[in-house]
Amino acid sequence: MTSPVLLDPSNASDEGSSCPDESLFALYYSTQASRAAATRNFIGALPIELLLAIFTHLYQSSRRLTQTGEKWGLDDPLSSLFPYAPAAVCSVWCSVLSRVPEFWTRVVIRVDSQYTRSRDVRRYFEWSRDLHLDVIITRHRDEFEGDDKQERSKVRNATRELVRHIARCRSIRFNVMYSSSLPSLLHDFHQKDAPHLHTLKLNCKVDDGGSPPQKLVHWRFDAPGLRNLYLDARNFFDVCVDRNNWLRRLHGLSSLSVSRYRHLSNKGIDLYKLLRAVEESPGIAYLELKDLHFSRVRPWTTVNDISIELISMNLEDLAGEVLSEIIGYVDSASDATRITRCPITTCHHSLISGGVAFHDLSADQDLMVPLAHWRGRTLSLVNSACFHDNFLRDMLDGGPHDQSFACKGVKELYLINCTNFSPRLLKTMVSTRRKIARRSLFWRHDHNTLDWTFPTVAPITLISVEGGPALSKDDRKWFERNLGSFHWDEQVSFEDPDDSDPDDGRQMIV
């Protein structure tokens, strides 16, 4: 629905208002002199009121309603992005759009082959007037391959304009190719104030090294409302460890991501310092560590005075020993843990999360190493060939003389693009565990036992399979009859999102 305030010139144009100024109507009446020429171009002949109605609809369509309010959508293609796409149609459309400040509160700056010129960047910030901003400095999704020697200079020019308006920013997101192109928090953001900033994201695809900047003893960047922080490893170690530890001052921070460190030599970053900084943060609930190379600055197994409490954790592309150490330092039973492309066979700590998801694990990995004594409820596997019949046999065999089942608490099983198992053996495992669970005094019905803790083994009440092996009609009927929730699709494949953006500290682990 079109907002009346955008169409009524009598409304005051104060802060937060979307009202166009009166020059819009002067612009419209000035175009009437060339009405005859305009009739040959229907776009140019549209009345200002109709243009505003169209643009308001496009603006509303670009917004998303979330639990924390209405926000700009982040999944729109750059080629159709509002207001940049309609502003490129003709000068009249651009003039109309430029006079509604609210349209320009999402500032998108491209640093790829179709980069945004500095003059245009300045205009976007000016057209937003004094409203709060969401700034995105990015490349087109198809331009993250190859070589771009000019990316660093383009990002530097965009950053220079950004910091002049950082006091108005609600979110800042960099998504570039090289780590050397990212701004330096230590220097570019030094002595800046960002009272409205809730999300800061510095993301790159490749760590191409670069000389570390000189340390500042009294570094300061005030962002008291920051909730979500995503940093490359170099920026993290510049401002979040040792003397500076910025995390201690971010009392509202709930989500932290550290990514991309692949040094050309054997030298890595210090795992102990990273985890110590996380531990000293007052309220981090979600932790993500991606594509990091650590060094053994000291024997990890002797450092046992770190205790981290989290709600959810995402670990990607880490060495097996690193994975094991991190799991050992998380003392609380987090709700969800997601592990992607990490060796798990060398892990000497059992997972304690309520839900565990494994992504892209090879067939030679042994799921029982971290899961043998795991008592969580939800197990998810995506593109993981290590989910096979041997694992199912371990889940259904409590031993000849005792009932010490592996994964004894599992009630929900999600399988996506896993085909190296037998549906008949899966059925046997479900049936065996179900029969033993029925002996419990707590058993009533599948739907009434979801929240019970069974002393021997829990019944599996939900199975969801996407892209699985063929399932016979009889087995399908059996699963449907004996499970509270059942879904099996042999055809649909799953595409895993490359980059998670868990605003407000929330992350779905699937």
Side-chain angles (χ1 to χ4, degrees), residues 21 23-24 27 55 87 90-100 104 123 127:
D21 56 39
S23 60
L24 271 177
L27 173 68
F55 295 153
C90 66
S91 59
V92 173
W93 283 30
C94 185
S95 297
V96 173
L97 287 161
S98 68
R99 287 168 170 80
V100 184
W104 301 94
R123 291 164 62 191
W127 291 344

Side-chain angles (χ1 to χ4, degrees), residues 271 275 289 292 294 296 299-304 306 308 313 315-331 337-352 358 365-366 369-371:
L271 175 66
L275 295 177
L289 302 177
L292 299 170
F294 294 94
R296 288 198 174 192
W300 295 334
T301 55
T302 64
V303 181
N304 55 11
I306 297 178
I308 300 175
M313 179 168 58
L315 307 173
E316 296 185 20
D317 297 307
L318 304 177
E321 292 178 333
V322 173
L323 172 70
S324 181
E325 292 296 316
I326 293 172
I327 292 174
Y329 289 132
V330 179
D331 288 345
T337 297
R338 172 171 165 170
I339 297 173
T340 304
R341 294 181 298 276
C342 298
I344 61 174
T345 304
T346 58
C347 184
H348 54 269
H349 291 290
S350 294
L351 289 162
I352 57 176
F358 295 100
Q365 297 300 305
D366 186 356
V369 173
L371 293 180

